[in-house]
Amino acid sequence: MKNHRQRNGEIWAFENGQNEELEAHDHYENGEDGYDGVVLGLDGGTTSTVCVCMPFLPFSETLSTSPPILARAVAGCSNHNSTGESSARDTLEDVMAEALSKAGSSRSAVRAVCLGISGVNHPTDQERVLSWLRKIFPGHVKLYVHNDALAALASGTMGKLHGCVLIAGTGCISYGIAQDGREARASGAGPVLGDWGSGYGIAAQALTAIIRAHDGRGPQTMLTDKILKALDLSSPDELIGWTYADPSWARIAALVPEVVACAEASDEVANKILLHAVQELALSVKAVVHRLGLCGEDRKGSFPVVMVGGVLEANKNWDIGKEVLKCIQDQFPGAFPVRPQVEPAVGAALLALNNMKESRENCHS
């Protein structure tokens, strides 16, 4: 039995879970639209998913800090651990179809797809997503699936994989790659398993502090009035119902600005929460650097630390990212921060281009 779904004017057809190939002329071969096909790069997280469509660049071209973007599409959560496999798969299919539609292109023009998705933590996760992609795209399309940390790292190194990336948004993870290709990660296991430097971790501790202050187990804190006002609640007792009515990670992580505001107003409890987050985030980077030896034998070697995510944005007096970097440089003075000039979805597309270029060079060597 066939299941057809129309996505932005293009039929995506499935039969017993398998993709039904749709007849179409191959743009990537005949060079229509003025370029030799397209590449899709995708950054999928717990809060949102972004897909960009870029022209397939000749291997002779140097990747610039402002690569051409044909189209950009945004959707919701694509982390299967948060939203379930069916919903995650639909989100990925929809956002890719929308990006292609906006670019005036189609599946037949796609040369490569690179997905960086949170929740891809094991080869079985990677194979699951690859199986989804194989049902969508023709067999000639190069498919790459990674954790979203790789896309973030590539966004700071223009598709090259070396150094360390620290992501701190709704969730958090530190991921590194050495010159010899060895990889290591720390954190990124989700809030239940202790990503306390994440936006969720910061806000969850603030909510806990309010309850502790209310029942007499902890000190009074400015967080109580600040967060209750932000949520339009009248008492800490109502906070319990609010939290468990929809305990989504992103919904709770959205309270981080309130915690930062209280810390900037010298609230001791809020300050302790942020200082703990700083230590946790720095520790995750230090663990990766130590395991990969990115700093060299003398621990003074130079390496990039790509910093990504709303928690690390330098838009407050209480600058979490700046404090994290200080902690890292105390132990590894050669670490230098990199603020990406392109978004992670573009980093994923550039990573695909670099992978294809390296494969071509290896074949000809």
Side-chain angles (χ1 to χ4, degrees), residues 232-255:
D232 196 26
L233 302 177
S234 59
S235 75
D237 290 326
E238 295 180 25
L239 195 59
I240 300 172
W242 179 89
T243 300
Y244 293 110
D246 178 10
S248 69
W249 303 351
R251 177 172 174 259
I252 291 174
L255 295 172

Side-chain angles (χ1 to χ4, degrees), residues 13-228:
F14 302 86
E15 183 173 8
N16 295 326
Q18 298 297 315
N19 178 58
E20 178 183 66
E21 294 293 340
L22 304 179
E23 294 183 2
H25 66 282
D26 201 333
H27 287 240
Y28 92 91
E29 283 187 349
N30 61 29
E32 285 190 24
D33 301 328
Y35 49 83
D36 197 25
V38 298
V39 175
L40 295 179
L42 187 144
D43 172 45
T46 304
T47 304
S48 64
T49 300
V50 178
C51 182
V52 298
C53 182
M54 291 174 50
F56 181 77
L57 303 172
F59 293 124
S60 59
E61 287 192 18
T62 300
L63 299 177
S64 69
T65 56
S66 56
I69 306 298
L70 300 174
R72 182 178 187 273
V74 182
C77 174
S78 56
N79 182 330
H80 68 273
N81 293 324
S82 301
T83 192
E85 287 191 23
S86 178
S87 178
R89 182 175 61 248
D90 287 348
T91 296
L92 294 175
E93 292 175 6
D94 288 339
V95 78
M96 290 187 293
E98 182 180 351
L100 286 171
S101 177
K102 286 183 175 180
S105 191
S106 66
R107 290 182 300 152
S108 60
V110 177
R111 297 288 299 271
V113 179
C114 183
L115 274 57
I117 314 173
S118 65
V120 175
N121 301 311
H122 188 272
T124 56
D125 300 321
Q126 188 178 46
E127 184 55 40
R128 179 188 299 110
V129 179
L130 281 170
S131 70
W132 299 345
L133 296 177
R134 293 188 188 108
K135 296 171 185 176
I136 297 173
F137 294 100
H140 69 267
V141 179
K142 300 296 183 183
L143 305 174
Y144 307 96
V145 175
H146 305 286
N147 184 276
D148 60 335
L150 254 73
L153 176 59
S155 73
T157 57
M158 298 306 292
K160 300 293 184 180
L161 294 180
H162 169 62
C164 186
V165 62
L166 174 63
I167 304 176
T170 300
C172 65
I173 187 173
S174 179
Y175 196 98
I177 298 183
Q179 293 281 19
D180 60 7
R182 289 179 298 118
E183 303 178 24
R185 60 173 282 176
S187 298
V192 175
L193 298 178
D195 286 350
W196 300 122
S198 67
Y200 177 95
I202 291 170
Q205 289 183 74
L207 296 177
T208 301
I210 294 172
I211 297 300
R212 289 175 62 86
H214 180 60
D215 64 21
R217 289 177 295 144
Q220 295 300 308
T221 170
M222 189 184 299
L223 289 166
T224 300
D225 290 340
K226 187 73 172 174
I227 288 181
L228 290 180

